[in-house]
Amino acid sequence: MPNSSRSKRVLLYSHDSFGLGHVSRCRTIANAIVEADKSVSVLILSGSPMIGSYEFRSGIDFVRIPGVVKQIDTGEYDSANLRVGVEHTLQMRTRIIRDTADIYRPDLFIVDKEPLGLRGEVVPALEMLKARGTPLVLGLRDVMDDPEKLAAEWQRKKVVPALSDLYDEIWVYGLPQINKPLTGITVPPSVRHKMVYTGYLHRDLPLHTDVPHEAEEIKGPYILVTPGGGGDGVDLVDWVLSAYESDQHIPYGAVIVFGPFMAAAAREHFKERAAKFHNIRTLTFTNNLGALMKNAAGVVAMGGYNTFCEILSFDKKAIIVPRTRPRLEQYIRTRAARNLGLLEMLNAEGWRDPFVMATALRQLPQQGLPSDVVVPGLLDGIGNVLRLVSKQLTHPHRGPARLDAAEPAEVPPTGTSSSSVRARS
């Protein structure tokens, strides 16, 4: 990262309408940026109600925009807490995002996953910063959705023009050997030239690495069971508990982390079932899931991006049960990782036979580790992202306009795309 007496500012946006993956990815990137360069400040715009529960390094702060929640069955949005309509909430979010970008005046703006933001809420900020010459980056996870569905969605939202006209680079936090997120999308060559595959984002333990006491209460090895945020994790937890109830010979105990978005009634029901076993413990949420995973003999999880990165980073044997609604993202990622030999997959569709899960749990000790498979650049994401950030922050003609400067009449030409870790989609 560049050494400079002038303080640099990075702005990160994450819509965070469901789960923990988006805010966790932004946190990982932000912590890496400020750790690499003490002169950089990072501000995160987030709609996640859990963002304040995470540990951030010095130099990072966040603006919590009013939350919205996605209905898992319909994909529609509602206000999460405010007793106002979702359109009113989105108007507030749009204004907060633009005004924050205006006042903060970042040297670099990174948008996570949603090119236009939730229902276009980030477009005014993008257009304002584009006019000022601020570098604009779209950060994509390795898998977005089924190509046919994604193509229809992006056509409806008019995403491709924004990729062409607004963004300077598109960083893909993954590898093309596992998935190319724009497969099936018709985009001009200029857009594909902006794409950089960074590799997956390595995860480290937080600065304070106390292991939750639930794990210490189990004698012997345990399996970590995590459905991520938990909003759609009821079936996974039920399947695992059913396996223990039907098979007394599973060699490991279990620590089940429900996730903060699992319904309270479901959590209480699962706690009652788990209490009948001396080697099963439960908890709702921990901001130090990495410590639990590092000490676990294996992992049973859904196939979200964040969990996948943690499994690779802590080199854990894993059984993944990917969801298939409302997106096929987890299934596509998990199928590709299984084909490479990085993990095992169970298909959650249809009737969940407890003996199928029990068999998988009993076979877990014989399963290979992710590190047994050689995939060049698999976990190089953080280092490559830091190099890309450094390149953008060293552009002398870019950065925040003076507070008293008039807005330019024309949009200045954007910079060139990185080639250091570039791979065509």
Side-chain angles (χ1 to χ4, degrees), residues 139-151:
L140 295 180
R141 65 192 183 204
D142 57 342
V143 185
M144 297 294 289
D145 197 0
D146 172 71
E148 185 176 343
K149 290 183 180 178
L150 183 64

Side-chain angles (χ1 to χ4, degrees), residues 121-140:
E121 66 183 3
V122 81
V123 171
L126 286 169
E127 292 176 341
M128 176 188 67
L129 294 176
K130 185 72 173 181
R132 293 176 179 173
T134 306
L136 306 177
V137 171
L138 174 63
L140 295 180

Side-chain angles (χ1 to χ4, degrees), residues 230-231 234 259-268:
V234 169
F261 303 123
M262 183 175 287
R267 291 200 310 265
E268 293 305 313

Side-chain angles (χ1 to χ4, degrees), residues 56-338:
F56 291 95
R57 296 184 183 276
S58 176
I60 302 171
D61 210 334
F62 60 88
V63 173
R64 166 77 162 86
I65 54 180
V68 295
V69 60
K70 178 189 285 188
Q71 304 301 321
I72 188 67
D73 292 327
T74 65
E76 295 298 319
Y77 293 98
D78 293 317
S79 297
N81 296 305
L82 296 177
R83 296 189 180 103
V84 300
V86 67
E87 296 300 331
H88 192 176
T89 300
L90 288 168
Q91 289 175 6
M92 288 188 289
R93 287 168 58 106
T94 301
R95 181 71 63 84
I96 292 169
I97 292 166
R98 187 194 182 283
D99 288 353
T100 300
D102 183 21
I103 297 169
Y104 185 58
R105 282 169 150 53
D107 299 272
L108 172 64
F109 185 27
I110 304 173
V111 173
D112 183 71
K113 194 246 177 191
E114 289 290 340
L116 308 180
L118 184 62
R119 292 193 180 176
E121 66 183 3
V122 81
V123 171
L126 286 169
E127 292 176 341
M128 176 188 67
L129 294 176
K130 185 72 173 181
R132 293 176 179 173
T134 306
L136 306 177
V137 171
L138 174 63
L140 295 180
R141 65 192 183 204
D142 57 342
V143 185
M144 297 294 289
D145 197 0
D146 172 71
E148 185 176 343
K149 290 183 180 178
L150 183 64
E153 177 185 337
W154 277 18
Q155 183 177 15
R156 184 178 72 254
K157 294 179 177 179
K158 297 180 173 58
V159 166
V160 172
L163 301 183
S164 299
D165 302 334
L166 290 176
Y167 286 102
D168 298 289
E169 291 189 338
I170 301 170
W171 302 347
V172 181
Y173 306 127
L175 290 178
Q177 297 96 306
I178 292 183
N179 191 66
K180 299 178 181 180
L182 297 193
T183 297
I185 307 293
T186 302
V187 296
S190 61
V191 170
R192 296 199 182 274
H193 184 66
K194 297 177 183 181
M195 294 180 66
V196 182
Y197 287 89
T198 67
Y200 291 90
L201 302 174
H202 187 278
R203 306 303 170 91
D204 293 314
L205 290 177
L207 296 177
H208 304 97
T209 57
D210 293 336
V211 179
H213 68 85
E214 287 82 359
E216 298 174 348
E217 295 173 358
I218 295 180
K219 295 181 180 179
Y222 66 85
I223 297 168
L224 173 64
V225 181
T226 168
D232 56 354
V234 169
D235 290 335
L236 175 66
V237 174
D238 176 71
W239 200 3
V240 171
L241 285 173
S242 296
Y244 278 92
E245 290 164 347
S246 63
D247 189 334
Q248 305 301 314
H249 303 291
I250 296 173
Y252 298 143
V255 175
I256 304 174
V257 183
F258 298 129
F261 303 123
M262 183 175 287
R267 291 200 310 265
E268 293 305 313
H269 172 65
F270 290 145
K271 287 180 182 178
E272 292 177 2
R273 292 169 62 183
K276 299 175 182 178
F277 295 87
H278 67 88
N279 63 342
I280 297 180
R281 295 293 183 272
T282 63
L283 64 157
T284 297
F285 173 75
T286 174
N287 62 1
N288 195 0
L289 189 70
L292 279 177
M293 187 175 292
K294 186 176 188 299
N295 294 330
V299 179
V300 178
M302 299 173 72
Y305 179 87
N306 178 54
T307 303
F308 181 62
C309 287
E310 289 176 329
I311 288 169
L312 297 180
S313 299
F314 297 112
D315 198 24
K316 292 300 170 181
K317 302 174 181 181
I319 301 167
I320 302 298
V321 184
R323 74 163 182 247
T324 56
R325 292 181 301 111
R327 296 185 181 275
L328 288 176
E329 168 229 340
Q330 293 189 2
Y331 177 79
I332 294 170
R333 175 184 301 111
T334 305
R335 180 182 58 189
R338 180 200 58 190

